[in-house]
Amino acid sequence: MSRRLTLIAVLSIQIIRSRAIEILINVILLAFLAITALSLAFTKDLFASVMLTGIYSLLSAAFFVLMDAVDVAFTEAAVGAGISTILMVTTLTITGRYENRKLYHPVIALSVVIVTGVMLIIGTMDMPAFGSDTAPAQVHVGPYYITHSGEDIDIPNIVTSVLASYRGFDTFGEIVVVFTAVIGVLALLEFSRKENEVVNTPAPMFQHKILRIVSKILIPPIMLFAMYVQFHGEYGPGGGFQAGVIFASSIILYAMLFGIEQTRKAVSMPVVKILSALGVLIYGSVGIVSMLNGGNYLNYSVLAESDITGQHVGIIIIELGVGITVATAMILIFLTFARRIGKSNPNSGTKEGTA
Amino acid sequence: MSAILDGFSWALLILGGFICVSGAIGMHRFPDFFSRMHAASVTDTLGGTLVLMGLMLQTDGQYLVLVKLILVLLFILITSPTGSHALAKAALHGGLRPKLGSKQDEKDADVLNNFGHQPTSDTDSRSFNTDNKE
């Protein structure tokens, strides 16, 4: 009897200790997040603030891992800390490094922000406690997804089955938004420019021999990893969005080291533009094909003989469409922005940055 | 046997943790950018390697985990020194000079000041930056 008691005591001490460590990590991460956000608000150096947003995304990714949302963490690390930081740095090289002198008084804006913040905090009073199992989000369709995903779709990663199967319409909407962003960027920057205007600047990092060699070694594994993430999405964290961003980052790495013109020779721009539309087309066509087979739009069950095989086929195809569109969208946006670096900019009255 | 392995693994983990903490202290206490970066990068590479090796000994027959850890180690060993190299080079190009000691070598200072500049005349053939086009 006493042995059992000591065993229980030891076990409970271990549980308390691991719980305490978890709380400690949570508190430290949250503190880091708050510090990063505050320094972000007060810095005047735009380059530093871009780097701080990257750090913020990485910290959030760590936080999501702690909350067992590995898919979200993956996306946050790839998109928030990776691609968007690169895009913002690229934009900074065009615009300049420091904030303009303030020409307005931010009192009104500040008061609006404070009032909104207070209202948001008051709004959280009515919200259910963190992790509460009676919260509306947990009792609506969540239990159905968790209990029926196994027999309906039969893939281990419920996140992928929700994204691609149960909520296929939403994901289609997301991918259309990504495609629309590309069209917007191209319409504003690319088509208004004369095509024969070639910038004869050398590759931006021509003297960085070590960087170039190491990147040459690393680019193939990055592309391979993107493929792994793309086709592993049903079994673990991953899928089209993350894979597309990772694949695009390898091309962007190449562009940063070997120059934009060199990349345009390696990656055919017309093909990339067609591919970015093709990804959306693939996704939409899966819906049409399932309608032709007698089901609803994006009902993959009718794509093959058995329901489950149909679901698997549908998920793989639409994830491929998502991956293609996201990758090409990122490449197009980066190359379009980066090509404007070095052009004379009459609008920039401030001193030119060296970021 | 497994007790010895376990002890060895813990020794590696603790040593790696100590090196990481000492790197963090060095990053805050060292006088200028380059020595701080050196503290961060060397301890990051060495401490990370030791921690990963300690974790590898803990895998206990789960070969998938072992392979993943080896891959992580490989990529850290490639990317971490390269990142520090790029950082230092960028700082030097940007005009940041290391704080030299009291016995400031004239030659060293000259080399550092000429770093990243194109050779102005053809007599200056032994310039630091030999800008070879590939």
Side-chain angles (χ1 to χ4, degrees):
Chain A
M1 199 63 198
S2 68
R3 264 183 61 195
R4 232 174 110 189
L5 272 180
T6 46
L7 194 68
I8 289 169
V10 165
L11 273 179
S12 54
I13 286 171
Q14 272 182 352
I15 288 167
I16 289 168
R17 198 190 280 160
S18 67
R19 189 85 194 117
I21 285 177
E22 202 185 312
I23 290 172
L24 189 70
I25 293 175
N26 276 336
V27 167
I28 289 175
L29 267 182
L30 264 182
F32 274 149
L33 274 176
I35 292 168
T36 316
L38 281 177
S39 40
L40 197 56
F42 286 111
T43 181
K44 294 270 180 247
D45 186 345
L46 293 178
F47 185 69
S49 64
V50 167
M51 287 302 145
L52 282 170
T53 49
I55 293 171
Y56 192 88
S57 292
L58 215 54
L59 285 172
S60 323
F63 207 57
F64 289 135
V65 170
L66 273 186
M67 296 202 289
D68 279 339
V70 190
D71 284 83
V72 186
F74 205 164
T75 317
E76 185 65 48
V79 179
I83 290 282
S84 65
T85 310
I86 291 174
L87 285 180
M88 284 196 278
V89 168
T90 316
T91 316
L92 270 191
T93 41
I94 305 172
T95 57
R97 180 167 174 171
Y98 292 95
E99 245 177 77
N100 271 342
R101 197 166 45 83
K102 279 206 182 72
L103 296 172
Y104 58 93
H105 293 290
V107 182
I108 302 172
L110 192 66
S111 51
V112 169
V113 166
I114 288 174
V115 168
T116 319
V118 168
M119 278 161 69
L120 284 175
I121 290 171
I122 292 172
T124 57
M125 305 282 184
D126 285 341
M127 280 181 45
F130 176 74
S132 154
D133 53 355
T134 54
Q138 319 279 15
V139 294
H140 184 45
V141 285
Y144 178 84
Y145 292 159
I146 291 167
T147 48
H148 289 72
S149 160
E151 50 196 84
D152 283 357
I153 295 154
D154 191 30
I155 56 174
N157 188 2
I158 299 179
V159 176
T160 301
S161 65
V162 171
L163 266 181
S165 223
Y166 290 119
R167 309 200 68 110
F169 266 42
D170 295 2
T171 313
F172 190 45
E174 283 169 26
I175 203 66
V176 170
V177 166
V178 171
F179 183 60
T180 315
V182 176
I183 293 177
V185 168
L186 288 184
L188 285 173
L189 298 181
E190 177 83 355
F191 295 139
S192 62
R193 191 178 50 78
K194 285 176 228 88
E195 197 54 54
N196 53 4
E197 202 181 319
V198 177
V199 192
N200 268 329
T201 48
M205 300 209 178
F206 63 96
Q207 75 280 61
H208 285 258
K209 192 166 260 177
I210 293 179
L211 270 188
R212 298 176 74 158
I213 290 170
V214 170
S215 309
K216 266 187 187 169
I217 298 171
L218 281 180
I219 285 172
I222 293 176
M223 288 180 164
L224 204 62
F225 183 61
M227 293 295 148
Y228 171 77
V229 171
Q230 170 79 53
F231 295 109
H232 188 253
E234 301 97 84
Y235 302 101
F241 285 100
Q242 293 92 329
V245 169
I246 293 168
F247 190 83
S249 73
S250 68
I251 305 273
I252 289 174
L253 182 62
Y254 183 83
M256 286 165 82
L257 286 163
F258 297 92
I260 305 300
E261 299 308 320
Q262 185 88 7
T263 315
R264 289 202 168 212
K265 280 178 201 153
V267 182
S268 159
M269 290 312 275
V271 173
V272 174
K273 283 174 191 162
I274 291 169
L275 278 177
S276 81
L278 188 72
V280 182
L281 187 69
I282 288 174
Y283 201 137
S285 321
V286 172
I288 304 285
V289 170
S290 56
M291 278 170 87
L292 289 177
N293 282 4
N296 285 330
Y297 191 70
L298 289 178
N299 177 11
Y300 315 131
S301 299
V302 291
L303 290 176
E305 276 87 52
S306 76
D307 282 8
I308 287 177
T309 320
Q311 291 285 352
H312 289 188
V313 169
I315 287 175
I316 287 174
I317 294 175
I318 64 130
E319 288 275 8
L320 196 61
V322 170
I324 290 173
T325 294
V326 170
T328 48
M330 294 302 157
I331 294 169
L332 277 175
I333 292 176
F334 174 78
L335 288 184
T336 316
F337 269 103
R339 217 176 173 207
R340 294 178 66 86
I341 296 172
K343 298 231 172 75
S344 59
N345 191 356
N347 296 332
S348 73
T350 54
K351 48 188 168 179
E352 199 62 39
T354 52
Chain B
M1 185 62 198
S2 99
I4 298 170
L5 271 186
D6 199 45
F8 193 55
S9 142
W10 273 106
L12 284 175
L13 284 174
I14 289 169
L15 192 62
F18 169 74
I19 284 174
C20 284
V21 170
S22 71
I25 294 171
M27 217 174 96
H28 285 278
R29 301 284 306 231
F30 277 171
D32 73 329
F33 174 80
F34 291 95
S35 49
R36 285 180 183 203
M37 208 204 61
H38 175 79
S41 92
V42 169
T43 51
D44 181 39
T45 314
L46 185 60
T49 308
L50 287 175
V51 168
L52 282 171
M53 279 162 75
L55 288 177
M56 275 178 212
L57 293 178
Q58 296 275 350
T59 48
D60 198 27
Q62 293 170 301
Y63 289 108
L64 196 61
V65 178
L66 186 68
V67 169
K68 281 177 185 169
L69 284 174
I70 289 174
L71 282 178
V72 170
L73 178 62
L74 196 66
F75 284 117
I76 282 185
L77 284 182
I78 294 175
T79 53
S80 174
T82 314
S84 323
H85 163 80
L87 205 61
K89 198 162 179 175
L92 215 51
H93 266 284
L96 193 66
R97 295 284 164 263
K99 245 185 208 168
L100 298 175
S102 52
K103 291 180 203 165
Q104 190 166 347
D105 194 350
E106 285 288 317
K107 233 179 194 172
D108 280 1
D110 198 43
V111 166
L112 282 171
N113 285 328
N114 281 331
F115 182 82
H117 291 288
Q118 306 290 330
T120 45
S121 64
D122 45 1
T123 53
D124 193 9
S125 58
R126 285 188 67 241
S127 169
F128 190 81
N129 182 16
T130 49
D131 185 27
N132 40 355
K133 298 263 195 309
E134 283 149 272

